[in-house]
Amino acid sequence: VARLREVADVREWSSDLPPDRESLTALIGDAEAVLAIGGDALVAAVLAACPNLRIVALASAGYDSVDVDAAHTLGIAVTNTPGVLHETTADLAFGLILAARRRIAEGDRYVRSGSWERVPYRLLFGHDVHGAQLGIIGYGQIGHAVARRAHGFGMRVVHYSRTHQDDELSTWMPLDELLATSDIVSVHVPLSDQTRGLIGERELRLMKPTATLVNTARGPVIDETALVRALREERIGSAGLDVQSVEPNPDASDPLLEAPNCVVLPHIGSATESARAAMVDLAAANIEACLAGRPLLSPIPGS
Ligand code: DGY
């Protein structure tokens, strides 16, 4: 913000709660640029009500919070932040893989609750990560970064993506085959009309009963109701979720939280000092470029 104040008048949303539509429209008002994060729903009605808006600079890789078609029709550029958060998010995806398969969060709760009175031989048995098959759905920057880490764990890596291409890290596989043969399935697709509900009842039924499903992408890519059922009925082994279909979600009675062996985090995939600093820096640089009439640094794909 300090950086942007040198080139523009800046108005800030000062709450940790995302603005509702009216507040967002009022805040943007006659501004030429907006720096937004994922919770800011830049729907067509908001964009259309802001006559001077030239750029939506997102401090996120995902751009599902913006009505991109409306923005482009209105001549508003949209930028995101690829290249600065994929390693950080891949670290967290691996954290979730380890936590879910080795029951780390469950073990921590067990010790804290004072339940560790005996030494049962089968205490918190999990499933190995090393030597397992990792299936990556969506093979962009984050998917690649997860694949690189998997090789350090001696895993076999396969992926499903629109481009049917193998590379030195991973072999392409049809989605159903990936789901049926992988021990761990990690989701890295952007949210779009094509990926909403990509993993539903049918797909979960294809997975191994010991399999782990990890999602650091967007909640709505997985049908949460079907996932809760699959976990309860032990049709899959565990899940690690950084994202949910509704965020934030203060509902402590959400069935997802009661599902056995499900680790849930509050969308912190890119939450490190350095990643977040790089994200807002890139967003600010896009705004500076737009206001100065220079080419944008990272327009969203296809724009
Ligand atoms: C992203 O960059 O899209 C992450 O989900 C952080 O919001």
Side-chain angles (χ1 to χ4, degrees):
V1 172
R3 176 176 171 174
L4 288 172
R5 281 200 200 286
E6 291 180 12
V7 293
D9 292 328
V10 179
R11 288 191 292 268
E12 283 182 76
W13 177 252
S14 54
S15 166
D16 287 335
L17 282 174
D20 59 28
R21 194 177 289 193
E22 288 70 35
S23 313
L24 189 55
T25 310
L27 181 74
I28 301 173
D30 60 357
E32 289 170 80
V34 59
L35 194 161
I37 57 172
D40 304 325
L42 289 148
V43 296
V46 172
L47 297 171
C50 301
N52 297 339
L53 198 56
R54 290 160 57 189
I55 179 170
V56 172
L58 294 167
S60 66
Y63 43 89
D64 48 285
S65 56
V66 183
D67 186 327
V68 170
D69 289 342
H72 288 159
T73 307
L74 291 161
I76 300 169
V78 182
T79 61
N80 66 341
T81 58
V84 297
L85 56 90
H86 54 291
E87 299 290 355
T88 302
T89 305
D91 286 346
L92 192 87
F94 241 89
L96 284 170
I97 291 171
L98 289 164
R101 279 194 84 75
R102 297 304 310 275
R103 304 173 70 175
I104 292 174
E106 215 179 325
D108 179 75
R109 286 196 296 274
Y110 180 81
V111 175
R112 280 175 203 282
S113 69
S115 307
W116 193 20
E117 294 167 331
R118 297 161 195 250
V119 283
Y121 186 64
R122 298 186 64 84
L123 179 63
L124 291 171
F125 269 17
H127 294 284
D128 282 331
V129 173
H130 73 272
Q133 176 173 309
L134 171 66
I136 297 176
I137 301 179
Y139 199 49
Q141 289 183 327
I142 301 174
H144 276 85
V146 170
R148 278 199 305 279
R149 282 158 180 73
H151 283 282
F153 278 80
M155 300 167 91
R156 273 185 317 286
V157 185
V158 298
H159 68 275
Y160 170 77
S161 62
R162 277 172 308 178
T163 53
H164 296 203
Q165 270 165 12
D166 301 346
D167 65 12
E168 68 291 354
L169 292 171
S170 173
T171 307
W172 186 88
M173 219 180 231
L175 181 59
D176 284 3
E177 188 184 344
L178 179 150
L179 291 167
T181 59
S182 295
D183 302 297
I184 298 149
V185 173
S186 193
V187 177
H188 301 286
V189 288
L191 179 63
S192 67
D193 291 344
Q194 289 73 45
T195 62
R196 190 176 294 277
L198 182 70
I199 308 296
E201 183 73 27
R202 190 190 80 82
E203 290 71 25
L204 289 161
R205 283 188 183 276
L206 293 174
M207 291 174 68
K208 295 182 179 183
T210 52
T212 299
L213 178 62
V214 169
N215 189 5
T216 52
R218 287 292 183 267
V221 174
I222 296 178
D223 176 342
E224 271 171 13
T225 312
L227 175 60
V228 169
R229 253 194 323 265
L231 286 164
R232 276 198 191 138
E233 293 169 12
E234 299 181 7
R235 282 186 277 112
I236 69 165
S238 55
L241 309 175
D242 183 40
V243 287
Q244 291 184 47
S245 53
V246 177
E247 297 179 7
N249 178 15
D251 179 6
S253 65
D254 189 317
L256 202 56
L257 305 181
E258 279 154 25
N261 213 9
C262 183
V263 182
V264 189
L265 297 177
H267 201 149
I268 54 171
S270 62
T272 66
E273 289 283 343
S274 64
R276 289 283 168 88
M279 290 158 74
V280 288
D281 260 353
L282 180 51
N286 273 308
I287 290 179
E288 287 165 347
C290 175
L291 297 182
R294 294 193 306 267
L296 301 172
L297 284 84
S298 50
I300 58 166
S303 61

